Amino acid sequence: MPARSLLGPMISSGKVIKLFYDISSPYSWLAFEVLCRYKNIWNVELKLKPAYLAGVMYGSGNQPPVLNPSKLLYMTSDLTLLSQYFGVPMYRPSKLIKKDSVIPMRFVTAVAEKEKDGDDLVEKVSRELWKRMWSTHQDIVQPASLTEVGIKAGFSANEVDDILILAKSQQIKDRLTSITNEALKYKCFGLPFIVVQVDGKAGVFFGSDRFELMAYFLGEKWFGPHPT
């Protein structure tokens, strides 16, 4: 039997994967794309959990890698190779400008609040935001930028206006805080943070390089980053 990390209350049978992520995390994008590719192959329910990375770092007492010059240097070459391996169009900008992701993550949270059935639109909006930040290096915080993201994801201009208003509400601020705190309850210390629930137990995985272990935990097979 695989080693399992027991966290929180027992859950019902079935395979569920919770992905806690922030679009400011390039490794979250890699995990996001791979899990989207595998959700049908592994026959799991993938629950997208937009969280706030700065809140996770603060709540866990961790520090972002950009504060460590050696880690930052490593990330440059690491992300280039990972982009090629996973087939994700990620290009680290020549100068990394620290941006607070709270505004775009509230926007994603508002989309999730609007979309009651499934995560299709949350998936599309998140992907568009990652593309802007890590591929085309465009703004991700201004209302015009978020409007463009929403329209590309399939919303009408009027629907995006409603989402922008909702994203500023206390309801959405509290919701984003709640999801971030949910991650911290699993002893999360960074993103992406993945909770796999199967057979009434939960296992936790950090980063975008644990897919073979996830497959083992689930009793499934890992076919590499491009399963089809």
Side-chain angles (χ1 to χ4, degrees), residues 128-169:
E128 290 299 329
L129 283 166
W130 267 309
K131 285 180 181 178
R132 291 181 73 90
M133 183 167 186
W134 292 103
S135 185
T136 58
H137 306 148
Q138 295 172 278
D139 175 74
I140 56 168
V141 299
Q142 296 301 319
S145 301
L146 295 174
T147 297
E148 184 176 343
V149 166
I151 290 174
K152 283 187 175 181
F155 289 104
S156 69
N158 288 337
E159 287 173 329
V160 175
D161 287 342
D162 291 340
I163 293 171
L164 287 170
I165 293 172
L166 179 61
K168 295 179 181 179
S169 69

Side-chain angles (χ1 to χ4, degrees), residues 207-222:
S208 57
D209 59 351
R210 315 301 284 173
F211 300 113
E212 290 180 80
L213 282 178
M214 284 182 220
Y216 180 63
F217 187 87
L218 286 163
E220 298 289 346
K221 292 183 178 180
W222 167 247

Side-chain angles (χ1 to χ4, degrees), residues 8-89:
M10 296 295 285
I11 59 174
S12 61
S13 297
K15 298 178 180 180
V16 178
I17 294 180
K18 296 180 180 180
L19 171 61
F20 295 90
Y21 68 95
D22 185 315
I23 57 93
S24 67
S25 162
Y27 294 97
S28 288
W29 189 10
L30 300 172
F32 168 90
E33 295 294 356
V34 170
L35 291 176
C36 285
R37 295 168 190 170
Y38 268 89
K39 61 183 177 182
N40 292 330
I41 294 173
W42 285 347
N43 192 28
V44 298
E45 180 185 0
L46 177 60
K47 293 186 177 181
L48 300 179
K49 294 280 190 174
Y52 183 37
L53 180 56
V56 166
M57 302 302 277
Y58 178 80
S60 64
N62 199 358
Q63 288 189 334
V66 294
L67 297 181
N68 185 314
S70 295
K71 286 184 178 180
L72 190 59
L73 181 63
Y74 173 79
M75 281 180 62
T76 301
S77 59
D78 188 46
L79 289 175
T80 299
L81 186 59
L82 287 171
S83 173
Q84 298 167 358
Y85 178 68
F86 285 109
V88 177

